[in-house]
Amino acid sequence: MKKSLFLLLISIFIASSACALNTANENADKGETSDMKITIQITSDSGSHKLTATLVNNSSATAFYNLLKKAPVTIKMSDYSNFEKYGPIGTSLPRNDTQITTTAGDIILYQGNQITIYYDVNSWNFTRLGKVDGVTQAELKRILGKGNVTAVFEILR
C-alpha cells in the first residue's frame, strides 16, 4: 500500500511538472512579457519624454536586452506612413518573424536591423520585441511628434 501511494504521488508530481513546463513554453511562444524592462528616452518636437517598456520572451528581445547591457542604444528615428517611427540599430539581431497586427506602443524588430515603435495599426511579418507600458495611442502620437525623433533605449535601473 505504501509503495502504491508513493508511486501515485510520484506520478502526480511528474504530471504537474510537465503541465507547468508546457504552460511556460506556450507563454514564450505567444510572446508574453518577461521581466526584461527598459526605458526609452524620446526627444521630439514635443519635448523630452521618458517611457518604460517590457520586452517579450523571445531570442530577439533577449539579444536586444543583452545589447543594452553593454551600453544604451541611440536611434535616430523617422516617420513611416503615419503609423510608426523607425531607425537602424547599427547591428543585426536574430529574427522571429510572425504575421502580427501591431497596436500603439508595440516595439518591433524589422528586418533584423531596425527598431520600430508603432503608434497605430499595421499587419505584416514582424518580430515583436516588446510594448511601451501605460501609454495611450493619443499620448504616444503626441510624444513621438511630427518628423524625426531621437530614441535612447537602455535597461531600466
Side-chain angles (χ1 to χ4, degrees), residues 36-39 51-53 55 64-65 68 153-156:
M36 295 186 293
K37 302 287 273 181
I38 63 171
T39 61
L51 306 173
T52 61
L55 299 182
F64 185 54
Y65 192 77
L68 298 179
F153 294 80
E154 64 182 311
I155 292 175
L156 179 65

Side-chain angles (χ1 to χ4, degrees), residues 16-123:
S16 65
S17 296
C19 288
L21 179 59
N22 189 41
T23 301
N25 289 338
E26 287 173 3
N27 289 345
D29 291 343
K30 291 177 190 173
E32 291 187 7
T33 57
S34 68
D35 60 353
M36 295 186 293
K37 302 287 273 181
I38 63 171
T39 61
I40 311 166
Q41 185 70 42
I42 303 284
T43 305
S44 68
D45 63 352
S46 70
S48 183
H49 309 273
K50 189 171 189 173
L51 306 173
T52 61
T54 304
L55 299 182
V56 297
N57 187 10
N58 65 34
S59 62
S60 304
T62 299
F64 185 54
Y65 192 77
N66 288 336
L67 180 65
L68 298 179
K69 283 181 178 178
K70 296 175 186 174
V73 172
T74 301
I75 303 173
K76 301 290 185 186
M77 303 182 94
S78 302
D79 201 63
Y80 182 76
S81 295
N82 294 317
F83 55 78
E84 69 183 51
K85 298 285 186 181
Y86 76 99
I89 58 175
T91 191
S92 290
L93 301 175
R95 294 169 64 174
N96 289 283
D97 292 349
T98 58
Q99 178 70 35
I100 60 172
T101 299
T102 63
T103 58
D106 280 340
I107 303 167
I108 301 295
L109 175 67
Y110 182 67
Q111 296 188 347
N113 60 7
Q114 297 176 59
I115 300 291
T116 304
I117 301 174
Y118 278 85
Y119 56 87
D120 212 332
V121 176
N122 187 27
S123 293

Side-chain angles (χ1 to χ4, degrees), residues 2 4 10 24 32 69 80 105 152:
K2 288 182 182 180
S4 297
I10 292 295
E32 291 187 7
K69 283 181 178 178
Y80 182 76
V152 180

Side-chain angles (χ1 to χ4, degrees), residues 119-152:
Y119 56 87
D120 212 332
V121 176
N122 187 27
S123 293
W124 199 259
N125 286 322
F126 299 118
T127 297
R128 188 181 309 275
L129 291 179
K131 180 101 173 160
V132 176
D133 300 327
V135 178
T136 67
Q137 181 178 12
E139 291 169 327
L140 192 56
K141 281 183 176 182
R142 182 185 57 74
I143 289 168
L144 292 172
K146 301 192 183 317
N148 298 339
V149 303
T150 300
V152 180

